[in-house]
Amino acid sequence: MKRNELAFEFDSAWKNISSREKNEVFEMAEDYKEFLNNSKTEREATREIIRRAEENGFKPISELIENNEKLIPGMKLYSNNRNKGVALFVIGKESILNGMNFIGAHIDSPRLDIKANPLYEDSELALLKTHYYGGLKKYQWVTIPLSLHGIVIKRDGSKVEVAIGEDEKEPVFFITDLLPHLAKDQYEKKLKEAIQGEGLNIVVGSIPFDNENIDDRIKYNILNILNEKYGIKEEDFITAELEAVPVGKARDLGLDKGLIVAYAQDDKVCSYACLNAILEVENPDRTCMAIFVDKEEVGSIGNTGMQSKFFEYSVIEILSLLGEDCSPLAVARTLSNTLALSADVVSSYDPNFPDVFDKRNTAHAGRGVALVKETGSEGKNRGNDANSEYFELVRRLFDDNNVKWQIGELGKVDQEDNGTIAYMIAAYGIEVIDCGVPVLSMHAPYEAVSKVDVYMAYKGYKAFYLNK
């Protein structure tokens, strides 16, 4: 037997791809960029997912409950979790007690949250205080243009949506950094200490209000502008949810336009691929479910994170609408018979930083969707470790459907420190493996992915949904 008949090697997903599929890759990339542009925050992502779902025939579960309707195979439904997460279902022909084909992804991303009492004036500048969200490198967030997104709840209960800085005619915001001429002491600090969290204060104004009798005239001028445009007062910051994120639209990267650079691709790239896959599912044998959750970047906590009961309660609602037993035993059987993919990104090998990667076991941009058997840190602690039998099932499924895939991990064993929602899914007795798109510069203000990897993730997720 020849040596190459025994050997195995991952190579570029662009190789041997048909002209038709190559066109589909680039067409999907244009739609994906639009999705990113409309989904910079978890609220915006939820709204965009629901909009696209409704355009493809999905109806809210609440509507069926109100009309006392029962489900039938082929029906498409969604459940909105406080405008920060959503679950989608396509009802299958088989009993749901036999389990579902389920994919979970998250739609939150590292960012700067505006504090509850943020606005102040200092040295002829008005600034907003922030609290960074998720695992980010603080030094990357200074001296880049920022926009403000979110909502403000006024005292009368009305909601004001805010989005300032994305339009080229609108102002942007900015965090200053020390000039190199005065940075002698800063240079001596460790990288993570060079910029302090309490130093991530955003410049929002510099012109004083035209009234000599008012204190803090620059701050007052900003409040006056906000009141004129949005009808909000300083006290409304207390109940607001405002996020500072990088300005700009998703763009093609490289002369060959094979990559996409954009903010928040972790984990909206997998969310997008999963959404596209389930939108195309029609009359499946097994019920298909997709869930898009919040708070993954801070431990999947709260009532919108994967650790909440939203997933479980959504399944119970479906059981009820199907007229099935909703006892704890029936719910347990449904979940333990379910198969899942944890759709989250994985690090992509970066030739600029080779020392932290095991090149043989790290995903590469352009080699397809990555399967990650184990996650966690310090000896696989706090992570998921997929069963070999299940890994083989997914591998065979992808191979049978011409899905280009590769293996991945975050980095070298002693460097690795990561986690996904997979271990929370596994806690229900569900078979699950991480499966996602490799990302360059993960958690940076701008991240990069390969267009062909996005396409292969979509193709793999769709094959998984249709697997019997």
mmCIF file of all heavy atoms in Angstrom, residues 166-193:
data_model
loop_
_atom_site.group_PDB
_atom_site.id
_atom_site.type_symbol
_atom_site.label_atom_id
_atom_site.label_comp_id
_atom_site.label_asym_id
_atom_site.label_seq_id
_atom_site.Cartn_x
_atom_site.Cartn_y
_atom_site.Cartn_z
ATOM 1 N N GLU A 166 -22.658 55.364 12.836
ATOM 2 C CA GLU A 166 -22.481 54.467 11.685
ATOM 3 C C GLU A 166 -22.626 55.200 10.357
ATOM 4 O O GLU A 166 -21.966 54.863 9.378
ATOM 5 C CB GLU A 166 -23.475 53.307 11.765
ATOM 6 C CG GLU A 166 -23.302 52.419 12.984
ATOM 7 C CD GLU A 166 -21.964 51.700 13.047
ATOM 8 O OE1 GLU A 166 -21.280 51.594 12.009
ATOM 9 O OE2 GLU A 166 -21.589 51.239 14.141
ATOM 10 N N ASP A 167 -23.513 56.179 10.331
ATOM 11 C CA ASP A 167 -23.672 56.990 9.123
ATOM 12 C C ASP A 167 -22.490 57.945 9.006
ATOM 13 O O ASP A 167 -22.059 58.553 9.993
ATOM 14 C CB ASP A 167 -24.990 57.777 9.183
ATOM 15 C CG ASP A 167 -25.347 58.443 7.865
ATOM 16 O OD1 ASP A 167 -24.542 59.256 7.379
ATOM 17 O OD2 ASP A 167 -26.435 58.159 7.339
ATOM 18 N N GLU A 168 -21.963 58.097 7.795
ATOM 19 C CA GLU A 168 -20.793 58.953 7.593
ATOM 20 C C GLU A 168 -21.064 60.414 7.948
ATOM 21 O O GLU A 168 -20.120 61.171 8.219
ATOM 22 C CB GLU A 168 -20.317 58.857 6.144
ATOM 23 C CG GLU A 168 -19.712 57.500 5.786
ATOM 24 C CD GLU A 168 -19.159 57.463 4.376
ATOM 25 O OE1 GLU A 168 -19.282 58.487 3.672
ATOM 26 O OE2 GLU A 168 -18.596 56.430 3.986
ATOM 27 N N LYS A 169 -22.314 60.814 7.967
ATOM 28 C CA LYS A 169 -22.655 62.188 8.311
ATOM 29 C C LYS A 169 -22.784 62.389 9.820
ATOM 30 O O LYS A 169 -22.914 63.525 10.285
ATOM 31 C CB LYS A 169 -23.967 62.589 7.620
ATOM 32 C CG LYS A 169 -23.880 62.588 6.100
ATOM 33 C CD LYS A 169 -25.205 62.988 5.471
ATOM 34 C CE LYS A 169 -25.122 62.971 3.951
ATOM 35 N NZ LYS A 169 -26.416 63.332 3.315
ATOM 36 N N GLU A 170 -22.754 61.306 10.574
ATOM 37 C CA GLU A 170 -22.885 61.391 12.028
ATOM 38 C C GLU A 170 -21.508 61.465 12.682
ATOM 39 O O GLU A 170 -20.510 60.999 12.124
ATOM 40 C CB GLU A 170 -23.630 60.173 12.567
ATOM 41 C CG GLU A 170 -25.073 60.083 12.136
ATOM 42 C CD GLU A 170 -25.741 58.812 12.620
ATOM 43 O OE1 GLU A 170 -25.035 57.807 12.852
ATOM 44 O OE2 GLU A 170 -26.970 58.823 12.770
ATOM 45 N N PRO A 171 -21.438 62.030 13.884
ATOM 46 C CA PRO A 171 -20.162 62.055 14.605
ATOM 47 C C PRO A 171 -19.817 60.666 15.136
ATOM 48 O O PRO A 171 -20.693 59.809 15.284
ATOM 49 C CB PRO A 171 -20.434 63.020 15.761
ATOM 50 C CG PRO A 171 -21.909 62.878 16.020
ATOM 51 C CD PRO A 171 -22.529 62.673 14.656
ATOM 52 N N VAL A 172 -18.546 60.454 15.406
ATOM 53 C CA VAL A 172 -18.106 59.216 16.049
ATOM 54 C C VAL A 172 -17.526 59.563 17.416
ATOM 55 O O VAL A 172 -17.437 60.728 17.797
ATOM 56 C CB VAL A 172 -17.059 58.469 15.190
ATOM 57 C CG1 VAL A 172 -17.670 58.056 13.866
ATOM 58 C CG2 VAL A 172 -15.809 59.336 14.969
ATOM 59 N N PHE A 173 -17.106 58.541 18.150
ATOM 60 C CA PHE A 173 -16.568 58.722 19.490
ATOM 61 C C PHE A 173 -15.178 58.100 19.551
ATOM 62 O O PHE A 173 -14.773 57.355 18.659
ATOM 63 C CB PHE A 173 -17.535 58.125 20.513
ATOM 64 C CG PHE A 173 -18.937 58.643 20.343
ATOM 65 C CD1 PHE A 173 -19.872 57.927 19.602
ATOM 66 C CD2 PHE A 173 -19.308 59.872 20.869
ATOM 67 C CE1 PHE A 173 -21.157 58.419 19.416
ATOM 68 C CE2 PHE A 173 -20.590 60.373 20.677
ATOM 69 C CZ PHE A 173 -21.514 59.644 19.940
ATOM 70 N N PHE A 174 -14.456 58.359 20.669
ATOM 71 C CA PHE A 174 -13.016 58.124 20.626
ATOM 72 C C PHE A 174 -12.469 58.029 22.044
ATOM 73 O O PHE A 174 -12.891 58.764 22.938
ATOM 74 C CB PHE A 174 -12.388 59.316 19.882
ATOM 75 C CG PHE A 174 -10.922 59.239 19.604
ATOM 76 C CD1 PHE A 174 -10.432 58.492 18.553
ATOM 77 C CD2 PHE A 174 -10.013 59.957 20.382
ATOM 78 C CE1 PHE A 174 -9.078 58.451 18.264
ATOM 79 C CE2 PHE A 174 -8.658 59.929 20.100
ATOM 80 C CZ PHE A 174 -8.187 59.171 19.029
ATOM 81 N N ILE A 175 -11.525 57.110 22.247
ATOM 82 C CA ILE A 175 -10.797 57.021 23.514
ATOM 83 C C ILE A 175 -9.351 57.409 23.238
ATOM 84 O O ILE A 175 -8.708 56.847 22.348
ATOM 85 C CB ILE A 175 -10.854 55.595 24.095
ATOM 86 C CG1 ILE A 175 -12.301 55.181 24.360
ATOM 87 C CG2 ILE A 175 -10.037 55.505 25.382
ATOM 88 C CD1 ILE A 175 -12.459 53.733 24.732
ATOM 89 N N THR A 176 -8.841 58.348 23.983
ATOM 90 C CA THR A 176 -7.488 58.842 23.741
ATOM 91 C C THR A 176 -6.423 57.885 24.281
ATOM 92 O O THR A 176 -6.700 57.041 25.133
ATOM 93 C CB THR A 176 -7.288 60.217 24.413
ATOM 94 O OG1 THR A 176 -7.496 60.076 25.829
ATOM 95 C CG2 THR A 176 -8.268 61.237 23.863
ATOM 96 N N ASP A 177 -5.213 58.042 23.756
ATOM 97 C CA ASP A 177 -4.059 57.306 24.271
ATOM 98 C C ASP A 177 -2.912 58.292 24.450
ATOM 99 O O ASP A 177 -2.926 59.405 23.900
ATOM 100 C CB ASP A 177 -3.673 56.178 23.310
ATOM 101 C CG ASP A 177 -2.652 55.219 23.912
ATOM 102 O OD1 ASP A 177 -2.420 55.283 25.138
ATOM 103 O OD2 ASP A 177 -2.069 54.416 23.157
ATOM 104 N N LEU A 178 -1.921 57.872 25.191
ATOM 105 C CA LEU A 178 -0.786 58.729 25.496
ATOM 106 C C LEU A 178 0.145 58.843 24.286
ATOM 107 O O LEU A 178 0.457 57.841 23.634
ATOM 108 C CB LEU A 178 -0.022 58.131 26.683
ATOM 109 C CG LEU A 178 1.005 59.000 27.394
ATOM 110 C CD1 LEU A 178 0.368 60.278 27.932
ATOM 111 C CD2 LEU A 178 1.622 58.193 28.537
ATOM 112 N N LEU A 179 0.571 60.039 23.991
ATOM 113 C CA LEU A 179 1.492 60.231 22.881
ATOM 114 C C LEU A 179 2.832 59.562 23.194
ATOM 115 O O LEU A 179 3.255 59.496 24.353
ATOM 116 C CB LEU A 179 1.704 61.708 22.580
ATOM 117 C CG LEU A 179 2.355 62.591 23.645
ATOM 118 C CD1 LEU A 179 2.894 63.865 23.001
ATOM 119 C CD2 LEU A 179 1.355 62.956 24.752
ATOM 120 N N PRO A 180 3.537 59.024 22.171
ATOM 121 C CA PRO A 180 4.787 58.295 22.418
ATOM 122 C C PRO A 180 5.859 59.151 23.072
ATOM 123 O O PRO A 180 6.725 58.628 23.786
ATOM 124 C CB PRO A 180 5.209 57.821 21.020
ATOM 125 C CG PRO A 180 4.465 58.665 20.059
ATOM 126 C CD PRO A 180 3.182 59.019 20.736
ATOM 127 N N HIS A 181 5.810 60.465 22.880
ATOM 128 C CA HIS A 181 6.807 61.358 23.452
ATOM 129 C C HIS A 181 6.741 61.388 24.983
ATOM 130 O O HIS A 181 7.719 61.744 25.645
ATOM 131 C CB HIS A 181 6.605 62.781 22.918
ATOM 132 C CG HIS A 181 6.413 62.854 21.445
ATOM 133 N ND1 HIS A 181 5.259 62.439 20.822
ATOM 134 C CD2 HIS A 181 7.244 63.284 20.449
ATOM 135 C CE1 HIS A 181 5.356 62.612 19.525
ATOM 136 N NE2 HIS A 181 6.554 63.121 19.265
ATOM 137 N N LEU A 182 5.580 60.998 25.544
ATOM 138 C CA LEU A 182 5.401 61.013 26.993
ATOM 139 C C LEU A 182 5.116 59.616 27.549
ATOM 140 O O LEU A 182 4.655 59.477 28.676
ATOM 141 C CB LEU A 182 4.238 61.953 27.374
ATOM 142 C CG LEU A 182 4.397 63.423 26.994
ATOM 143 C CD1 LEU A 182 3.134 64.194 27.376
ATOM 144 C CD2 LEU A 182 5.617 64.021 27.682
ATOM 145 N N ALA A 183 5.409 58.608 26.770
ATOM 146 C CA ALA A 183 5.013 57.248 27.137
ATOM 147 C C ALA A 183 6.157 56.418 27.706
ATOM 148 O O ALA A 183 6.081 55.189 27.712
ATOM 149 C CB ALA A 183 4.419 56.546 25.918
ATOM 150 N N LYS A 184 7.185 57.063 28.222
ATOM 151 C CA LYS A 184 8.322 56.322 28.751
ATOM 152 C C LYS A 184 7.887 55.333 29.831
ATOM 153 O O LYS A 184 8.276 54.158 29.807
ATOM 154 C CB LYS A 184 9.369 57.291 29.302
ATOM 155 C CG LYS A 184 10.606 56.603 29.858
ATOM 156 C CD LYS A 184 11.617 57.617 30.371
ATOM 157 C CE LYS A 184 12.835 56.901 30.960
ATOM 158 N NZ LYS A 184 13.830 57.873 31.476
ATOM 159 N N ASP A 185 7.099 55.783 30.786
ATOM 160 C CA ASP A 185 6.641 54.892 31.863
ATOM 161 C C ASP A 185 5.645 53.862 31.350
ATOM 162 O O ASP A 185 5.636 52.714 31.807
ATOM 163 C CB ASP A 185 6.018 55.713 32.985
ATOM 164 C CG ASP A 185 7.047 56.559 33.728
ATOM 165 O OD1 ASP A 185 8.251 56.252 33.614
ATOM 166 O OD2 ASP A 185 6.650 57.529 34.411
ATOM 167 N N GLN A 186 4.801 54.278 30.415
ATOM 168 C CA GLN A 186 3.812 53.350 29.854
ATOM 169 C C GLN A 186 4.502 52.191 29.140
ATOM 170 O O GLN A 186 4.055 51.047 29.237
ATOM 171 C CB GLN A 186 2.885 54.088 28.878
ATOM 172 C CG GLN A 186 1.733 53.233 28.357
ATOM 173 C CD GLN A 186 0.912 53.968 27.301
ATOM 174 O OE1 GLN A 186 1.469 54.589 26.390
ATOM 175 N NE2 GLN A 186 -0.403 53.902 27.431
ATOM 176 N N TYR A 187 5.593 52.455 28.453
ATOM 177 C CA TYR A 187 6.332 51.415 27.741
ATOM 178 C C TYR A 187 6.863 50.340 28.690
ATOM 179 O O TYR A 187 7.072 49.193 28.295
ATOM 180 C CB TYR A 187 7.502 52.010 26.967
ATOM 181 C CG TYR A 187 7.131 52.775 25.718
ATOM 182 C CD1 TYR A 187 7.837 53.912 25.332
ATOM 183 C CD2 TYR A 187 6.077 52.359 24.909
ATOM 184 C CE1 TYR A 187 7.510 54.619 24.182
ATOM 185 C CE2 TYR A 187 5.744 53.058 23.762
ATOM 186 C CZ TYR A 187 6.463 54.184 23.406
ATOM 187 O OH TYR A 187 6.131 54.880 22.260
ATOM 188 N N GLU A 188 7.102 50.709 29.933
ATOM 189 C CA GLU A 188 7.676 49.775 30.903
ATOM 190 C C GLU A 188 6.626 48.836 31.503
ATOM 191 O O GLU A 188 6.973 47.850 32.152
ATOM 192 C CB GLU A 188 8.367 50.547 32.030
ATOM 193 C CG GLU A 188 9.520 51.430 31.569
ATOM 194 C CD GLU A 188 10.601 50.623 30.864
ATOM 195 O OE1 GLU A 188 10.936 49.524 31.364
ATOM 196 O OE2 GLU A 188 11.096 51.083 29.815
ATOM 197 N N LYS A 189 5.373 49.126 31.301
ATOM 198 C CA LYS A 189 4.305 48.314 31.875
ATOM 199 C C LYS A 189 4.049 47.069 31.034
ATOM 200 O O LYS A 189 4.364 47.025 29.839
ATOM 201 C CB LYS A 189 3.013 49.130 31.971
ATOM 202 C CG LYS A 189 3.091 50.299 32.933
ATOM 203 C CD LYS A 189 1.766 51.051 32.970
ATOM 204 C CE LYS A 189 1.825 52.214 33.943
ATOM 205 N NZ LYS A 189 0.543 52.964 33.984
ATOM 206 N N LYS A 190 3.461 46.055 31.670
ATOM 207 C CA LYS A 190 2.991 44.902 30.920
ATOM 208 C C LYS A 190 1.878 45.341 29.980
ATOM 209 O O LYS A 190 1.146 46.288 30.270
ATOM 210 C CB LYS A 190 2.479 43.823 31.872
ATOM 211 C CG LYS A 190 3.564 43.177 32.707
ATOM 212 C CD LYS A 190 2.985 42.067 33.579
ATOM 213 C CE LYS A 190 4.077 41.386 34.375
ATOM 214 N NZ LYS A 190 3.521 40.296 35.244
ATOM 215 N N LEU A 191 1.720 44.627 28.885
ATOM 216 C CA LEU A 191 0.759 45.018 27.864
ATOM 217 C C LEU A 191 -0.647 45.176 28.436
ATOM 218 O O LEU A 191 -1.360 46.128 28.123
ATOM 219 C CB LEU A 191 0.754 43.977 26.737
ATOM 220 C CG LEU A 191 0.117 44.378 25.413
ATOM 221 C CD1 LEU A 191 0.814 45.589 24.821
ATOM 222 C CD2 LEU A 191 0.174 43.214 24.428
ATOM 223 N N LYS A 192 -1.072 44.233 29.285
ATOM 224 C CA LYS A 192 -2.432 44.286 29.824
ATOM 225 C C LYS A 192 -2.618 45.405 30.839
ATOM 226 O O LYS A 192 -3.746 45.734 31.205
ATOM 227 C CB LYS A 192 -2.815 42.953 30.451
ATOM 228 C CG LYS A 192 -2.074 42.590 31.715
ATOM 229 C CD LYS A 192 -2.596 41.266 32.268
ATOM 230 C CE LYS A 192 -1.916 40.900 33.577
ATOM 231 N NZ LYS A 192 -2.447 39.632 34.116
ATOM 232 N N GLU A 193 -1.508 46.013 31.296
ATOM 233 C CA GLU A 193 -1.591 47.093 32.275
ATOM 234 C C GLU A 193 -1.369 48.475 31.660
ATOM 235 O O GLU A 193 -1.565 49.484 32.333
ATOM 236 C CB GLU A 193 -0.549 46.861 33.377
ATOM 237 C CG GLU A 193 -0.769 45.564 34.152
ATOM 238 C CD GLU A 193 0.412 45.236 35.057
ATOM 239 O OE1 GLU A 193 1.446 45.930 34.953
ATOM 240 O OE2 GLU A 193 0.292 44.283 35.862
#
